């Protein structure tokens, strides 16, 4: 599972690097959602206990999402978005910002800590 995730992440990095920031896929909805406020999700990873811990979090389709990570040990957060998954490495420190790709269609996206092997939260896009 873990190894598969890493391989996917590597493939995604190549895809992202090769198609650049603007011309890839269907960028159609990106500007129309600019009026929505960015959804900031505080994530705290201290003492091996994540907060949030498996809850659902509602977002709008196309909404910008930012994680604000506070951690007492370095680790990785994995976003099971489709078709492109995302992975973030965080360090020790407070309020480290990570921008997630907006979710392009209604659905659920699981965000997990590879370091703790736990689901942090599930984004529910409507
Ligand atoms: Cu994962």
């Amino acid at each position: 599972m873990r190894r598969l995730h890493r391989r996917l992440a590597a493939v995604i990095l190549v895809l992202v690097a090769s198609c650049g920031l603007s011309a890839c896929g269907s960028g159609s909805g990106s500007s129309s959602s600019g009026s929505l406020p960015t959804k900031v999700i505080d994530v705290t990873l201290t003492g091996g206990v994540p907060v949030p811990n498996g809850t659902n979090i509602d977002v709008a389709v196309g909404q910008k999402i930012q994680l604000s990570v506070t951690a007492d040990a370095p680790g990785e957060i994995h976003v099971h978005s489709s078709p492109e998954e995302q992975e973030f490495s965080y360090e020790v420190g407070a309020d480290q910002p990570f921008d997630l790709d907006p979710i392009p269609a209604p659905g659920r996206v699981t965000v997990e800590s590879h370091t703790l092997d736990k689901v942090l939260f599930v984004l529910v896009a409507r």
Side-chain angles (χ1 to χ4, degrees):
M1 196 70 173
R2 208 178 165 104
R3 208 169 293 158
L4 175 63
H5 287 159
R6 289 193 182 283
R7 207 155 54 218
L8 282 171
V11 168
I12 288 155
L13 277 180
V14 171
L15 287 174
V16 169
S18 62
C19 66
L21 293 173
S22 56
C24 192
S26 62
S28 53
S30 58
S31 59
S32 61
S33 58
S35 58
L36 285 169
T38 299
K39 178 84 170 181
V40 178
I41 300 170
D42 289 312
V43 177
T44 304
L45 303 149
T46 51
V49 179
V51 177
N53 190 354
T55 55
N56 287 355
I57 296 177
D58 289 333
V59 296
V61 169
Q63 184 172 16
K64 288 180 186 165
I65 304 163
Q66 185 180 75
L67 303 186
S68 179
V69 176
T70 297
D72 64 357
E76 288 176 2
I77 289 176
H78 192 196
V79 183
H80 282 245
S81 41
S82 175
E84 295 185 1
E85 304 200 353
Q86 293 177 270
E87 198 166 66
F88 303 108
S89 295
Y90 55 85
E91 308 295 332
V92 175
D95 303 328
Q96 302 167 70
F98 298 99
D99 291 318
L100 274 62
D101 291 335
I103 301 173
R108 299 163 67 85
V109 172
T110 302
V111 178
E112 61 183 34
S113 163
H114 275 191
T115 314
L116 303 178
D117 272 330
K118 285 184 176 169
V119 173
L120 301 176
F121 54 87
V122 179
L123 294 168
V124 181
R126 304 172 198 275

